[in-house]
Amino acid sequence: MTASLETKANSGAASAALRVNPYVAALPPYNAGMSLARAQALSGHDDLARLASNENPDGCSPAVLAALASGGFEPWRYADPACTALREALAARLGVDANVIVVGNGSEEMIAAISRGVLVAGAQVVTVVPSFGLHEIEPLAAGASVLKVPMTATAGFDLPALEAAIAVGPRVVFLSSPWNPVGPALNKSALQRLIATVRPGTLFVLDEAYFEYADASLPDGIEVLRNSGIAYVVLRTFSKAYGLAGLRVGYAVCSDLEIARVIASAKTPFNVNGAAQLAAVAALEDEAWMKASVARIVTERDRVAADLAAMGLHAAPSQTNFLFFDTGRDSAEVAAALLQDGIIVKPWREAGYTTWLRATIGKPADNDRLIASLRKQVA
Ligand SMILES: *Cc1c(COP(=O)(O)O)cnc(C)c1O
């Protein structure tokens, strides 16, 4: 069966007369990185250091595994399409009305739902470069045009350029802070400056996928935006600090009920499965596990950054669980050499940044392998 499926894939001649959505057909591929099986085959290593996807090397809370093993999850039932229990737990934690929260199949789905619900062909979107791929791909799929504001020479947000781009009045602004793939976060005054530039008619999307890793001195986007008077969405996820990337749960906290309604209408009805809903509630209840994991990773991150700096590789300041640095040559070559030592990282492919590489902070032994392999290449 499998063999015949593989050999019967045809060339697409049957679809020659078919018209497809031109915006979707023209999309650049999302760079999800190399599969584990392919990386194992190419490197000859089974025990790979997986530092490409910003996953949590500590795994997840044991309370999550216990909840999944309990009788609370019934695979034969459709799960609650409104994610009521999870939204109520989040509302209590965040101090917001549960009705302004929309839960997604990962925050990725919320980026897609915002684009589908708010954008139309020809609309303008502002983001940054280097960018989180979906902040560009989902708007392009809706037919929008995307202006990308480059980072500064010191790998920071270019505030004057962002203010100028936002002041023009794009329909949506997508910014991640802390910033994937670069690392820094907007401080409170920078965030307030950008908010002050947002005009009526613009939706300001602040993607806080790495919020839990940021210093306590940095702003909580929900707190800052709450009284801003602008239309906004703050995105958060269980994929990173809570370690649930494989279960797919993220959420949108919206400025008002109407935006939440539009985003909810743009998602698929049964988007978050029952195991994911149960796991996310359990993860949220075990805040102590998440905080201990964040503390370990932040300590490791600063250690790895210092080791990189000692070999002349200066990473961008990071408020996340990864480091982004300029290798000074094609980073795909550096990544290929790292793979030979059993290490997977993400060489950046956006124009202008193809010498940069993003490495997730893993377990100490994996980070040691990364440093030792890079040291061989630099020497
Ligand atoms: C990882 C990441 C996400 C996606 O998270 P999911 O909840 O797993 O879909 C969203 N935004 C940014 C900036 C990320 O780095």
Side-chain angles (χ1 to χ4, degrees), residues 229-250:
I230 68 166
Y232 68 83
V233 176
V234 175
L235 298 176
R236 300 233 178 122
T237 181
F238 286 92
S239 295
K240 308 286 160 56
Y242 289 98
L244 304 187
L247 281 169
R248 317 301 305 124
V249 205

Side-chain angles (χ1 to χ4, degrees), residues 30 53-55 104-111 131-135 175-181 207-210 235-240 244-251 321-322 358:
Y30 178 72
S53 300
N54 300 342
E55 294 154 343
N105 189 270
S107 51
E108 286 179 359
E109 191 201 16
M110 295 290 92
I111 297 167
S131 66
F132 177 61
L134 296 175
H135 291 170
L175 288 180
S176 61
S177 178
W179 182 358
N180 180 12
D207 184 340
E208 294 189 326
Y210 301 92
L235 298 176
R236 300 233 178 122
T237 181
F238 286 92
S239 295
K240 308 286 160 56
L244 304 187
L247 281 169
R248 317 301 305 124
V249 205
Y251 56 97
N321 64 341
F322 57 79
R358 192 192 69 194

